[in-house]
Amino acid sequence: MPASTSLLPTGHSRIAHMEMQGIVKRFPGVLAADHVDFDVRSGEVHALLGENGAGKSTLMKILYGLYQPDEGHIRLNGESVVFHSPANAISRGIGMIHQHFMLVPSLTVTENVALGLKSSRGPLLDLDRVAARITELADAYGLHVDPHRPVWQLAVGEQQRVEIIKALYRGAALLILDEPTAVLTPQEVDDLFVTLRQMARDGHALIFISHKLHEVLSISNRVTVLRDGHQIGSVPTAEATKQSLARMMVGRDVVLEYERPATSQGEVRLKVENVSALSDEGTPALRDISLELRAGEILGLAGVSGNGQRELAQTIFGLRHATSGKVLLDGHNILGAKVSTLNAQGLAYIPEERMLDGVITDFTVAENMVLQDHGQKPFAMSIFLNGRAIGRTCADLIKSFDIKTPSSDTPIKSLSGGNIQKVILARELRREPRVLIAAQPTRGVDIGATEYIHHCLLDERERGTATLLISEDLDEILALSDRIAVIYEGEIVGVVNRADADVETLGMMMAGVRPDAHAAAASG
């Protein structure tokens, strides 16, 4: 193999120290980064922690050349640098692994790695040399993947390995990882962390962007916390706890573990029998799904994103056609029923995409509060709305659910994600539902709003509501559920009691291994 060619970079000089000083970035109506300082050194993992909208991704996109700062500067090994594009950043040894992978599914691993680089053989490809170099990198960092397989055949975790190999191949000495665990099973997260620790030992500088406290504490050497575009502080990880980091993120103490008093589970409220449905692309999304949900219980549905969770919630609530099966609400088949009928029968729904399916963004808070029953008493008088009744109900809900809004007449799009979610929660729970479908109820909201939403779900459990909690956050599932079902490629792999569940077992199930097969393998 040649010592160095344009297609086979041997790596840039080590980045001993990268500093971002006084970084400011403004967007219309938003100060995304307000004089933020951040640095990372060779051989360390520096975690950048904060909720969605805190400014983490904005700061890193500036470092990667995707955005230009309005103020401040970047130094590499003491030298001031300006990156006008990702190509500039890559040329100085900076790589970025995006949350949504930048791969071409129809190409092989080797072709994806070589894409955009010049061949050392002029007009001829030298993919054999590329594949050999991929194998070297894979062996060095435990990133095992077949160079000749098409990307579309790879599991999500394998695709992420290809992204990391692609960055290393281009000589990345500093690697930015943007929410790298969001689509991984627990076992894949463990494998990723082994790789990251090896890279740090070899002198790479790693920036780990996350909002998951336990992962930050596990992988990082230092933690910097951002909130609303401001740098709250930086601490050595050894001196941090979940509680201290949560306090930095929201500005107050946060309850991270909940008491779940025993409740008497009652009759079956919702029964899904052999339901199948298609995806938006017309391919099978649900395959013969069966579940039971009882009064007074929270049934958690766990799984890696994209395995049928969204389609299941939509099918139950009548927003997606089922190709076969039944959904029984208190013994009555509700497949094909109108949403208004489902609401009247006691089914409530917190949708996964709140801005698309949960609210009308140009409507006010009050108007969104009564979306489902604005045509009924007391909100309607003949063909006219009863503004006084709407206002009174809305004011009560704003107070009860601690919704931060200037007024009930404020357009809902002006509220934060957490407060928009509280509006949806208030609207759905006001009707005292018999069954609640909560799909990703805390996605993209801050820790404080998450804590509040969790308490609401536990209160509903005590009230006797049957709740299906659909979440990709395994910590959330474990904290709230009485039973846990795991979905993989549109099928229910198994259902386990919370007392019998652990991260390893659930992780295996999320990868498609059924509990009986896992037990047999362990005993064998």
Side-chain angles (χ1 to χ4, degrees):
M1 184 181 302
S4 176
T5 74
S6 57
L7 187 58
L8 296 174
T10 56
H12 302 282
S13 59
R14 177 173 298 180
I15 296 177
H17 192 200
M18 186 285 300
E19 301 171 88
M20 304 181 75
Q21 298 175 334
I23 298 296
V24 175
K25 183 62 181 177
R26 300 179 183 89
F27 297 103
V30 178
L31 184 57
D34 186 3
H35 295 90
V36 175
D37 296 334
F38 182 83
D39 75 303
V40 63
R41 297 179 182 277
S42 170
E44 78 165 340
V45 180
H46 192 160
L48 191 56
L49 179 65
E51 288 299 316
N52 288 359
K56 308 184 302 295
S57 293
T58 296
L59 191 66
M60 291 301 100
K61 286 177 179 178
I62 289 172
L63 176 58
Y64 195 57
L66 288 166
Y67 294 158
Q68 306 306 310
D70 297 315
E71 298 178 34
H73 56 269
I74 302 170
R75 295 182 184 276
L76 292 183
N77 298 337
E79 176 191 353
S80 184
V81 295
V82 177
F83 298 139
H84 296 290
S85 69
N88 291 160
I90 292 169
S91 71
R92 296 300 299 264
I94 297 175
M96 186 169 183
I97 309 301
H98 299 270
Q99 188 172 350
H100 303 289
F101 304 146
M102 306 292 184
L103 299 172
V104 181
S106 59
L107 299 183
T108 67
V109 171
T110 301
E111 290 165 343
N112 267 279
V113 171
L115 192 63
L117 297 178
K118 293 180 180 179
S119 171
S120 60
R121 293 174 178 163
L124 303 177
L125 294 176
D126 50 4
L127 296 180
D128 55 336
R129 297 181 179 180
V130 179
R133 177 64 175 153
I134 289 172
T135 301
E136 284 183 3
L137 291 170
D139 291 343
Y141 294 106
L143 296 164
H144 301 298
V145 65
D146 182 351
H148 306 293
R149 287 185 68 190
V151 163
W152 68 266
Q153 293 182 355
L154 302 181
V156 173
E158 292 176 304
Q159 291 183 35
Q160 187 179 69
R161 292 176 207 163
V162 177
E163 286 280 26
I164 295 174
I165 287 172
K166 191 168 73 171
L168 293 174
Y169 188 94
R170 285 159 171 75
L174 186 159
L175 194 60
I176 305 164
L177 298 112
D178 188 1
E179 300 280 2
T181 65
V183 294
L184 303 183
T185 68
Q187 282 79 11
E188 288 171 331
V189 172
D190 291 341
D191 291 342
L192 173 65
F193 283 6
V194 169
T195 296
L196 298 186
R197 292 186 182 105
Q198 180 60 49
M199 291 173 66
R201 283 194 294 270
D202 285 355
H204 288 84
L206 303 176
I207 300 173
F208 183 86
I209 306 175
S210 182
H211 64 273
K212 298 180 180 180
L213 299 176
H214 68 284
E215 292 181 355
V216 164
L217 290 171
S218 172
I219 191 61
S220 67
N221 305 104
R222 282 191 293 156
V223 185
T224 291
V225 178
L226 299 184
R227 184 170 77 233
D228 297 329
H230 298 274
Q231 179 185 351
I232 303 304
S234 297
V235 294
T237 306
E239 299 175 9
T241 63
K242 283 187 179 181
Q243 287 73 21
S244 67
L245 293 176
R247 192 181 308 118
M248 292 172 71
M249 290 172 70
V250 300
R252 64 171 178 82
D253 289 329
V254 177
V255 176
L256 298 173
E257 297 180 3
Y258 309 104
E259 293 184 7
R260 296 170 57 257
T263 60
S264 56
Q265 295 177 14
E267 74 281 3
V268 174
R269 291 267 179 90
L270 185 75
K271 191 171 185 179
V272 179
E273 292 186 349
N274 308 112
V275 167
S276 297
L278 300 178
S279 69
D280 294 339
E281 291 76 29
T283 57
L286 302 178
R287 308 167 190 265
D288 204 31
I289 294 274
S290 294
L291 287 171
E292 284 188 352
L293 182 58
R294 294 183 174 274
E297 82 161 338
I298 296 177
L299 173 63
L301 183 67
V304 175
S305 176
N307 276 276
Q309 299 96 315
R310 173 172 166 266
E311 289 83 0
L312 178 60
Q314 291 178 339
T315 302
I316 292 173
F317 203 65
L319 301 177
R320 182 177 295 270
H321 173 71
T323 55
S324 63
K326 298 179 181 178
V327 176
L328 304 177
L329 179 61
D330 291 325
H332 303 288
N333 190 7
I334 59 172
L335 274 183
K338 294 180 179 179
V339 171
S340 58
T341 302
L342 298 178
N343 287 333
Q345 293 180 351
L347 183 62
Y349 177 43
I350 300 172
E352 176 177 339
E353 298 289 346
R354 59 176 171 266
M355 301 305 289
L356 183 65
D357 301 322
V359 297
I360 297 177
T361 55
D362 289 330
F363 278 19
T364 66
V365 171
E367 289 167 339
N368 275 283
M369 285 281 197
V370 297
L371 272 181
Q372 295 163 330
D373 42 16
H374 64 276
Q376 304 169 10
K377 292 182 178 181
F379 305 131
M381 297 183 299
S382 184
I383 62 172
F384 300 101
L385 292 175
N386 185 343
R388 182 173 297 178
I390 293 173
R392 187 164 52 243
T393 298
C394 186
D396 290 343
L397 292 174
I398 288 172
K399 182 178 180 181
S400 299
F401 284 81
D402 191 30
I403 298 168
K404 301 293 189 300
T405 177
S407 77
S408 60
D409 295 325
T410 299
I412 200 164
K413 63 185 177 184
S414 302
L415 273 57
S416 69
N419 284 298
I420 292 173
Q421 195 75 331
K422 286 184 181 181
V423 170
I424 297 171
L425 198 68
R427 182 183 68 211
E428 299 302 314
L429 299 187
R430 180 184 65 80
R431 294 183 286 105
E432 298 185 351
R434 293 176 59 76
V435 175
L436 173 64
I437 311 298
Q440 317 296 343
T442 61
R443 174 182 284 172
V445 306
D446 65 37
I447 290 181
T450 295
E451 176 191 27
Y452 184 88
I453 292 167
H454 285 174
H455 280 300
C456 284
L457 296 179
L458 291 172
D459 289 344
E460 287 298 303
R461 173 180 178 267
E462 290 193 44
R463 196 179 68 79
T465 304
T467 301
L468 176 61
L469 171 63
I470 302 174
S471 178
E472 293 156 19
D473 186 337
L474 202 49
D475 287 339
E476 182 170 66
I477 291 284
L478 288 167
L480 301 178
S481 303
D482 297 291
R483 292 185 299 136
I484 301 171
V486 178
I487 190 169
Y488 175 75
E489 293 188 348
E491 297 183 40
I492 298 299
V493 177
V495 182
V496 296
N497 292 322
R498 170 62 184 90
D500 303 323
D502 56 56
V503 171
E504 180 184 4
T505 300
L506 293 176
M508 295 291 290
M509 294 169 70
M510 288 164 67
V513 179
R514 297 185 181 275
D516 49 354
H518 176 50
S523 61

